Amino acid sequence: MTDTAPRELPLQELDEVIIRFAGDSGDGMQLTGDQFTSISAALGNDLATLPEFPAEIRAPQGTLAGVSAFQVRISDFAITTPGDAPTVLVVMNPAALKAQLHNLVQGGAIIINTDAFTERNIEKAGYKSNPLDDGTLEGYRSYPVPMGQITRDAVAEHGVKPRDAERSKNFFALGLISWMYTRPVEPTMDFINTKFRGKDLVIKANEAAFKAGYNFGETAEVFEAHYEIRPAPLASGEYTNVNGNTALAWGLVAAGVLARLPTFLGSYPITPASDILHELSTMKNFGVRTFQAEDEIAAAASAVGAAFGGALAFTTTSGPGIALKGETLGLAVSLELPMVIVDVQRGGPSTGLPTKPEQADLLMAMYGRHSESPMPIVAAKSPSHCFDAAIEACRIALKYRTPVMLLSDNALANSSEPWLLPDINALPDIGVDFETEFNGTNEDGDGIYLPYLRDEETLARPWAIPGTPGLMHRVGGIEKEDGSGNISYDPENHQKMVDVRQAKVDGIDVPDAEVMGDQDADFCFLSWGSTWGAVDAATARLQADGHKIAYVHLTHLNPFPSNLGEVLGKFKKVLCPEMNAGQLDKLVRAKYLIDVQGAHKMNGVPYTTAEIQAAALEALRV
């Protein structure tokens, strides 16, 4: 640390900044980005984040495969995306620079941990010469900082060994960025003391490293200015910063409370859905019970059993797990029990890209079961919307006595944004009544229970908890007789049961499709899932350039809104951006015979606003 007096640098006001932290998977970039995000949220900025994880749990240190990154966009206005490209890049080693430099805007700032640019690390990253002095960084504003050495010096007085001191350099970077963008010191000090409670030496080292980074910004004659971003004009109320997995978990818990039912999750850990299991395992005070099964099949089967027993039941997974659960999900369709299957989509096939997003499970959600097994599909559009989507999926499952597929993806799961906490009293009542009395009679006129006697409006069958006096009944995978639930091989009955299960899904009440943007436009985007943010932002950009643009975003993918065909048929061109090879556009074309055009990508990176804008301009030219 230095005793030099702080310099008086100009404080410039910005409307937004996009910062990306990048380093080895062990460099603490996710923690650094999370903490910077939390501070910014507390200051009232609008924000959006984009974490990026290496696919391997422990990739070789210093290699491109091991780079971990965290992008955060903070602004004084409302935003829906983490930004197309960072304006500031913080790199902890040569591999991070190699992997991330192409993302940085021209003229952007690079803060570089120069201590990591040793000959060995430069070679491991694939550079033939040192990028700090061979012209690689021309066109950027480069700020070299010996983070490692300054951190070691700062923590030495606390008796921290040099090797252990290296673990604190991410807090040096956080301190420097906190100074650069006028973030307060106290929240990070509180965070360090809470995060590392009981580890006094670690607390002292991280505090010293953070202060060293903050003081470096104030005293070193490196930076021309520091910056301020004012709070965004958000709606009044209480906010919290939330990612998609957490919001989805809270939505499932809230649904259990709203339904006044015990909540059960049967799950097998899988990236990127495991955090939902972790979060729900802490919610026993809300009547939540979690079961970590030995495999995906057991996880799904346990949820079916819990639904039969009268619980609001869930199973969480990703694409590979949906494939394994397929037969059990067909059983849930046949039993007509309320159950929610959460699919946090990731790149595939097989293990594929476990830490990267994709939207390629839509057709599997629609058709990926034996025979005719219709299932409603609900898709979340933003991290905070995962809460609402979870409640909506539960509403449908309970009202119509059917398993429901709830789609999220890796981009939503780990990204975060400010969330205005909802008014609890405004949330829907999704409670159900269990069957407690006979609902039919036999040939002798005695009362009996008919487990497949249907509600005339919803076609839902009754739900009786096992052990209810007089309502003994059996369930299983063999086709049932309509009404009685007895095993039936009758061809006409099977046709009827297939038809009625389809009619039940087709008749689910979902909101009409809503046209956003220019109501008199000839061009319309059609989107679903996590592409919503980029489509919304691209629409605004195109409108600012003088184009008339509309978009329709779908939360309900089965059944579609009843007015969807009519709405889309009014536009001359409909463009559907998806992170797959074209799945929603196939479904819409097949159902409505509308010439929906696709914009497709599957590179494991979410759509940027610029990509969707370019796709629209290309479509408008044709």
Side-chain angles (χ1 to χ4, degrees):
M1 299 180 65
T2 177
D3 294 328
T4 306
R7 297 178 299 133
E8 289 294 331
L9 291 177
L11 180 64
Q12 296 182 9
E13 191 171 312
L14 302 177
D15 58 0
E16 70 168 332
V17 66
I18 304 170
I19 304 170
R20 181 174 289 217
F21 301 91
D24 262 325
S25 57
D27 280 340
M29 295 295 94
Q30 304 303 320
L31 184 148
T32 303
D34 274 337
Q35 180 56 19
F36 187 82
T37 298
S38 297
I39 298 170
S40 301
L43 291 177
N45 297 125
D46 200 4
L47 59 89
T49 70
L50 178 64
E52 183 179 301
F53 303 95
E56 299 178 42
I57 294 175
R58 207 51 163 156
Q61 194 172 21
T63 64
L64 298 184
V67 172
S68 174
F70 189 104
Q71 182 166 305
V72 55
R73 179 187 185 189
I74 59 175
S75 69
D76 65 4
F77 58 93
I79 57 175
T80 59
T81 78
D84 287 0
T87 51
V88 178
L89 177 62
V90 181
V91 294
M92 306 304 283
N93 63 12
L97 181 65
K98 180 87 168 179
Q100 300 294 335
L101 183 60
H102 71 280
N103 291 312
L104 186 65
V105 298
Q106 281 295 311
I110 313 172
I111 300 173
I112 304 166
N113 174 26
T114 55
D115 287 344
F117 281 71
T118 63
E119 185 176 341
R120 183 169 181 270
N121 286 345
I122 290 170
E123 184 179 342
K124 285 170 70 175
Y127 283 115
K128 297 187 182 300
S129 58
N130 190 335
L132 303 186
D133 51 30
D134 67 359
T136 298
L137 303 183
E138 288 183 7
Y140 304 99
R141 292 178 289 124
S142 177
Y143 301 101
V145 183
M147 296 185 195
Q149 185 59 56
I150 298 176
T151 301
R152 289 191 294 271
D153 293 343
V155 305
E157 63 182 87
H158 300 293
V160 180
K161 297 178 181 178
R163 183 169 181 176
D164 293 333
E166 282 289 314
R167 299 173 184 169
S168 297
K169 65 180 183 289
N170 62 319
F171 279 96
F172 178 96
L174 178 58
L176 178 54
I177 289 294
S178 294
W179 167 82
M180 199 168 181
Y181 292 96
T182 57
R183 309 288 99 172
V185 171
E186 291 77 15
T188 299
M189 296 295 104
D190 293 340
F191 167 77
I192 290 171
N193 280 272
T194 302
K195 174 76 174 177
F196 303 103
R197 180 176 289 121
K199 301 177 181 178
D200 292 343
L201 193 59
V202 175
I203 290 173
K204 290 178 180 178
N206 288 336
E207 286 181 337
F210 179 86
K211 291 176 182 177
Y214 202 97
N215 291 339
F216 181 87
E218 283 191 332
T219 59
E221 297 184 2
V222 175
F223 303 97
E224 306 86 5
H226 61 143
Y227 308 94
E228 180 182 23
I229 300 168
R230 295 187 178 276
L234 303 176
S236 61
E238 185 176 353
Y239 285 81
T240 187
N241 193 46
V242 70
N243 66 29
N245 272 349
T246 300
L248 199 152
W250 292 353
L252 298 180
V253 174
V257 174
L258 295 168
R260 297 176 292 282
L261 292 175
T263 301
F264 176 86
L265 171 65
S267 183
Y268 180 74
I270 183 172
T271 301
S274 299
D275 285 342
I276 301 173
L277 170 61
H278 300 159
E279 185 69 21
L280 286 178
S281 68
T282 69
M283 300 289 183
K284 293 182 176 61
N285 56 312
F286 287 105
V288 177
R289 296 294 179 266
T290 55
F291 169 57
Q292 182 173 319
E294 65 270 29
D295 57 43
E296 294 281 8
I297 300 171
S302 70
V304 172
F308 180 60
L312 180 54
F314 314 109
T315 186
T316 54
T317 188
S318 189
I322 294 293
L324 290 167
K325 294 178 191 288
E327 182 181 2
T328 307
L329 300 188
L331 174 63
V333 170
S334 175
L335 301 185
E336 300 187 46
L337 285 168
M339 173 179 163
V340 173
I341 304 95
V342 177
D343 178 6
V344 187
Q345 300 165 95
R346 72 189 207 188
S350 188
T351 306
L353 304 173
T355 62
K356 311 299 180 185
E358 221 170 66
Q359 291 178 290
D361 293 351
L362 176 55
L363 293 182
M364 181 165 67
M366 191 81 176
Y367 301 118
R369 291 165 297 282
H370 174 57
S371 187
E372 296 294 333
S373 303
M375 189 181 293
I377 304 171
V378 175
K381 68 178 184 180
S382 71
S384 61
H385 183 246
C386 288
F387 178 87
D388 299 305
I391 294 176
E392 174 64 0
C394 293
R395 179 193 73 84
I396 292 172
L398 292 167
K399 182 176 180 178
Y400 294 90
R401 308 287 198 273
T402 177
V404 177
M405 189 74 71
L406 174 56
L407 297 179
S408 176
D409 66 48
N410 209 331
L412 298 179
N414 295 299
S415 300
S416 61
E417 63 183 355
W419 177 42
L420 176 62
L421 297 181
D423 177 1
I424 300 300
N425 296 322
L427 296 176
D429 183 345
I430 58 174
V432 296
D433 294 322
F434 290 108
E435 199 76 7
T436 57
E437 305 289 343
F438 295 135
N439 60 1
T441 57
N442 61 18
E443 295 177 353
D444 298 326
D446 298 326
I448 59 172
Y449 174 54
L450 300 174
Y452 281 83
L453 183 68
R454 300 182 182 280
D455 178 87
E456 291 184 2
E457 179 185 352
T458 65
L459 301 180
R461 77 174 185 86
W463 193 10
I465 297 178
T468 303
L471 304 192
M472 181 183 297
H473 63 287
R474 62 184 166 195
V475 296
I478 299 178
E479 185 63 280
K480 315 296 184 303
E481 182 181 63
D482 190 35
S484 73
N486 295 331
I487 291 174
S488 175
Y489 294 98
D490 178 67
E492 291 184 3
N493 177 77
H494 177 58
Q495 181 70 58
K496 181 178 181 180
M497 293 296 276
V498 169
D499 291 343
V500 78
R501 286 191 289 260
Q502 184 64 60
K504 179 168 67 170
V505 173
D506 291 342
I508 290 172
D509 61 309
V510 303
D512 281 348
E514 186 176 358
V515 178
M516 306 300 293
D518 296 311
Q519 302 296 309
D520 58 344
D522 291 332
F523 178 92
C524 180
F525 288 115
L526 176 64
S527 62
W528 69 278
S530 62
T531 57
W532 167 77
V535 166
D536 180 77
T539 299
R541 284 190 189 179
L542 290 161
Q543 288 174 323
D545 289 340
H547 299 281
K548 285 189 175 294
I549 305 292
Y551 75 83
V552 172
H553 184 85
L554 298 180
T555 294
H556 297 86
L557 297 163
N558 192 32
F560 287 135
S562 60
N563 68 333
L564 182 62
E566 178 186 354
V567 166
L568 295 180
K570 295 178 180 178
F571 296 98
K572 293 180 179 179
K573 291 187 178 181
V574 179
L575 181 67
C576 182
E578 301 181 80
M579 288 190 288
N580 57 46
Q583 297 193 9
L584 178 58
D585 59 26
K586 287 184 175 67
L587 294 174
V588 173
R589 281 183 172 203
K591 185 171 180 65
Y592 302 111
L593 302 180
I594 293 173
D595 186 23
V596 177
Q597 300 299 308
H600 311 134
K601 63 177 276 185
M602 289 154 287
N603 62 354
V605 180
Y607 262 113
T608 65
T609 305
E611 286 174 328
I612 292 181
Q613 182 181 9
L617 291 173
E618 178 64 27
L620 287 167
R621 279 194 291 268
V622 175

